[in-house]
Amino acid sequence: MNILVVLRMVPDVVEELEIAPDGKSLNLEFARMVLSESDDHALEQALLIKERDGGTVTALALEAPEVDEVLFAALAKGADRALKITGPKEGVTTREAAHIIAGVISSEPGLKGADLVLTGTQAINDLDGLMAPLLAQELGLPFLGIVTGLVPNFSARVALATKEYPRGVRGEFEVALPATFGIQAAEKPPRYVPVAKVRAVMKSRKIDCVSLTETVEPGFSLLQVLEMTKPQPSGHAEILEGSADQTAGALCTILAERGLL
Amino acid sequence: MAAEFWVIVEHWKGRVSQITYEALALGREVADQLGASLHAVLLGHNAHELASTLGKADCVIYANHPLFSEVVAETYAEALVQLLKERKTRSIIFPLTNVSLGAATLLGARLRLPVVNFCTDIQFAEGKIQAHCILYGGKIESRVAAEGEPTIFGLWPGARPADKGFSERRPPVEEFAVSLSEPAIHLKKYMEPAAGDVDITQQEVLVAVGRGIQSQENLHLAENLAKQFHGAVCASRPVIDQGWLPLSRQVGKSGATVKPKLYLALGISGAPEHTEGMKAAALIVAVNTDSGAPIFNIAHYGIVGDVLKVLPALTKAIESRKGVGSHA
Amino acid sequence: MGGATLTGGNPSSPEVTLDNLLQSPQGRDLLTCIQCGLCAGTCPYGDVMAYPPRRIIAMLRAGMLEGVFKSESLLACVACYSCMAKCPRNIQLTEVLLPLVKEQVFLNLAELPAELHKALDNTLRYGNPMAESPRKRAAWIKTLDFPIRVLAEDPRPVDVLWFVECQNSYHPRGQDVSRATAKLFHALGIDFAILGNEEKCAGECARLLGEKGLFDTLTDYNMAVFSKYHFNRIVTSGTHAYDAFTHRYPAAGFRYQVEHTTPFFAAYLEQLKPRLNRTLHYAVTYHDSCCLGRHNGFYEQPRLLLQAIPGVKLLEMPHNRISAICCGGGGGGMWLDTYYKAKGYERLSERRVKEAVTTGADVIAVSCPYEISRFEDALKVLGHEKKMIVRDVTELLSEAMEV
């Protein structure tokens, strides 16, 4: 069972995000990058499957600030191989990233034959599309997203996948392998890896580097960002005045306007 | 022939989802701005009757196929590829919910069409169809135009009030034949959540109670309100410590971190140990008798009052509002 | 300075690990254990520990230490130094043995308790356990009506480098303490500066918990930052930071003089006294912090400061000085409340507050950043928040100063 996990670094929202001088993009100079949360779950799910059923786990990521730490941590957690794609410009869109990554997967021996391609179901900067279905389309694989449980049956070449629906309902799907999955949550929370172990791996293991095979011409994302802004925080709640009935009614209206009722 | 503007109808377990009506309300506005006709695209199996409430659209395009009994992104994409060979549209609005997530991207990838995700609004301005999108968990807003048509828009819930997309008028239905290949994905069964088995991190609406709820006996007030939202009750540490709710319902430094669409903080002071676990909620409403409670610094809306009075008033107000309109 | 034996402070001694433990001086001490059980008896969670220190040493001698690694029992150790302070053989329990064993327990755990996992991830990534932005660490200084020098902006030599600490930088109550501390430095005319956003956690609680890699990473970082600037001494509000700098960092080459704010201000008592003009009509009971008290012997300095405040009446809790009951925040305990609750353990901060209330005092005075939020929380849970308040010693001094 060969499992490929696609990891992406996204701007860390714990830090204050700043808009670049062009008014249309993020100022990446001050942004710190962090592993996309559901990608962390995708890695954990891959490791759980490997522990249960055997196989190899390869972690794959585009070059980005702080990606080395993430890839070494993946190795320390139990991934067999970590691969970094060098060469992309800073701040690629999801669609551009998917195209580059799919290009490398298709051309790199050892990646093309993956039985499972796992990545997070959605990232906070997926403006032009979601990674999992984009990869699925480029690689010619079936796709299922919002997956919270994954049990592959290698010999039968199928996997049982659990998908989340509204209100706690779950659906159980049978998916023919090889396939791509967008992982929402691993069956267990992502494991902790002691810092000493990561430091040891940094000394004893290597991250393989491969340069990108597909270039992405400008306009590839087919979108034009006209403007980016930060919503101004008020720092304090808007207080609704009146009796319990009055304030309840006013609140109701606000909630209805937001589609929450 | 006038240009077309499409809204994909989301339906699940035999009912049209509320987000479809929101999308139709929005679609109606933009279609009118464009001078285009609004079409609701319904992919279903023996689902003809669902078209009856979609009258905000000028017409329903309906494809009937057994494979549409369940929503599988690939099947939807395949059908829409065929539809787009026969008809042109300027835009397609896809609802962004768990039911159909992925279909918009897949269609855009198959036909090399622009996909604009995370939209909260769409309008026609400066000669372009523009979307207003929210990124980075709500920290950044973006105005986006697409290079090419048809443009696919992924729309968040709440763009317009659902009742503005609802209509008593029965629209004409145009049937469209599709021929679909057997997907590699099959739904085997649904699993309903076990009673009492609530994962508060997966809830869209949380009714959070603090010491202001006063006693365990008053918890049912919070439960009633949570039911109105199909949400769940959670709590700050003191309530859990008293044993009024299980540990799985705790929010904060010592509990879960939650990011619901709506967090109602009732009788919670807003100590950092609590807010650490919920400050990323999209909309925070706080009720507290103390106007100086720190919770009001991170809430979007606040009511200075007694939780035990406001809670039942709110439940009543929602119930009477729901009496208006008989849709989802 | 009284208290327990310094250890690990000799830069030329090799690092003690489980492999070389029995060959080291500390390890040979272990072999002198008389199995008296004072450690287990004095441990605040001794009644729920499957492996109190006495039993760990017995297992070590029997060559059966692996059995301890597989037990979760050591997660109940809050590194309060009670066992080490009472040990008739002066065995370096909290200092040496327990962190080494805890490190293995850690590695053997199937799943780390979620709150602890978050705190450790956050400390590594953001330099503080609360997932607050490092770029906001010094934001609190803007709330003062006098400026504080930040060395990154003004790197000229300074007398005191004030190491503020994480809770005191980010937590609203911690910021109250920081403002009070700044006011005292200012009133005394101390030449001081802070690292500002360059400051990161000193890592002591990570070390006590067994996360040695995290501690080493933070030590490397902090040593590099210190080496950029010129200062005579470090004064810190963090009791665990004080321990790290005094007992651990010398092995990494740390040569600076270091003090904790409480004994530091006590040395300035004569200058402070005339400034303490306002009478505070408080009955105060002082809670001895584990690091400051049992570990380093600073029992009288905080009491001298409190007694210098007009109107303050000092009342002692039955367990005071060497017998003080830990607030439960050390050694990772700060992030294990849910874990302890799930196991049904009484929260130590509640046990301590119950005792404080019996003194009839109005105020629990503290010197450790964890204690404020832990005791305020316990007062609320026990329904005593109208009876008692929690104040840091510096807050009381500041309150007693003329405005």
Side-chain angles (χ1 to χ4, degrees), chain A residues 9 12 14-18 30-35 66 188-197 199, chain C residues 103 106-107 110-112 117 120-121 124-126 131-136 211-214 216-217 220:
Chain A
M9 303 299 283
D12 189 348
V14 165
E15 302 288 359
E16 205 64 54
L17 297 175
E18 302 295 337
F30 292 114
R32 274 189 77 181
M33 304 300 268
V34 72
L35 177 62
E66 303 188 60
K188 280 197 207 160
R191 65 196 61 191
Y192 184 78
V193 59
V195 175
K197 208 163 172 203
R199 276 160 73 116
Chain C
E103 188 173 8
F106 207 51
L107 291 170
E111 207 176 297
L112 209 57
H117 186 158
L120 292 171
D121 278 347
L124 179 65
R125 187 170 170 77
Y126 303 111
E132 294 279 0
S133 164
R135 287 195 262 153
K136 296 208 180 111
E211 232 298 5
K212 181 102 192 342
L214 177 53
D216 288 340
T217 304
D220 290 346

Side-chain angles (χ1 to χ4, degrees), chain C residues 76-90:
Chain C
C77 167
V78 291
C80 71
Y81 293 93
S82 290
C83 53
M84 190 165 118
K86 303 275 180 83
C87 173
R89 289 300 199 194
N90 251 328

Side-chain angles (χ1 to χ4, degrees), chain B residues 211 237 241 253-254 257 273, chain C residues 115 171 334 338 377 385:
Chain B
R211 279 144 49 84
R237 253 268 302 276
D241 279 353
K253 167 177 164 284
S254 301
T257 300
E273 288 79 11
Chain C
E115 193 187 345
H171 193 285
M334 192 63 170
T338 343
D377 203 53
E385 72 270 33

Side-chain angles (χ1 to χ4, degrees), chain A residues 151-214:
Chain A
V151 181
N153 183 336
F154 184 50
S155 46
R157 305 300 293 159
V158 289
L160 275 182
T162 307
K163 178 189 151 158
E164 294 282 311
Y165 283 93
R167 295 173 212 152
V169 176
R170 288 167 298 149
E172 192 178 78
F173 286 81
E174 190 180 84
V175 182
L177 297 183
T180 308
F181 294 96
I183 303 292
Q184 165 98 325
E187 284 154 35
K188 280 197 207 160
R191 65 196 61 191
Y192 184 78
V193 59
V195 175
K197 208 163 172 203
V198 180
R199 276 160 73 116
V201 159
M202 281 176 172
K203 295 201 182 93
S204 62
R205 304 279 300 273
K206 268 171 39 61
I207 295 173
D208 294 337
C209 291
V210 60
S211 25
L212 50 68
T213 55
E214 297 286 332

Side-chain angles (χ1 to χ4, degrees), chain B residues 207-219 222 233-247 249-251 266-269 274, chain C residues 341 347 377 380-381:
Chain B
V207 176
V209 293
R211 279 144 49 84
I213 200 76
Q214 310 255 8
S215 79
Q216 192 167 20
E217 284 70 53
N218 296 326
L219 275 179
V233 176
C234 63
S236 61
R237 253 268 302 276
V239 169
I240 307 292
D241 279 353
Q242 307 277 41
W244 298 346
L245 280 171
L247 214 46
R249 303 293 184 114
Q250 187 172 324
V251 170
L266 306 173
I268 291 176
S269 65
H274 182 75
Chain C
K341 177 109 187 129
R347 215 168 261 139
D377 203 53
K380 256 201 263 185
V381 167

Side-chain angles (χ1 to χ4, degrees), chain C residues 244-315:
Chain C
F245 298 148
T246 307
H247 302 290
R248 304 285 135 232
Y249 276 46
F254 184 94
R255 298 280 171 274
Y256 310 100
Q257 185 190 336
V258 62
E259 300 184 57
H260 180 269
T261 42
T262 308
F264 176 85
F265 288 132
Y268 284 87
L269 194 49
E270 294 313 308
Q271 285 101 305
L272 275 176
K273 269 198 196 147
R275 305 290 300 266
L276 301 174
N277 285 343
R278 297 174 65 205
T279 305
L280 305 181
H281 297 286
Y282 290 149
V284 176
T285 185
Y286 177 69
H287 165 81
D288 286 283
S289 120
C290 305
C291 298
L292 220 49
R294 264 190 296 272
H295 194 202
N296 294 288
F298 295 115
Y299 297 123
E300 303 317 317
Q301 288 87 339
R303 288 172 169 82
L304 285 170
L305 287 170
L306 290 168
Q307 281 164 329
I309 300 175
V312 161
K313 185 169 109 178
L314 209 53
L315 303 167

Side-chain angles (χ1 to χ4, degrees), chain A residues 4 114-118 136 141-144 159 175-181, chain B residues 184-185:
Chain A
L4 183 56
D115 304 294
L116 295 175
V117 177
L118 304 186
L141 297 177
F143 148 78
L144 186 66
V175 182
L177 297 183
T180 308
F181 294 96
Chain B
I185 300 174

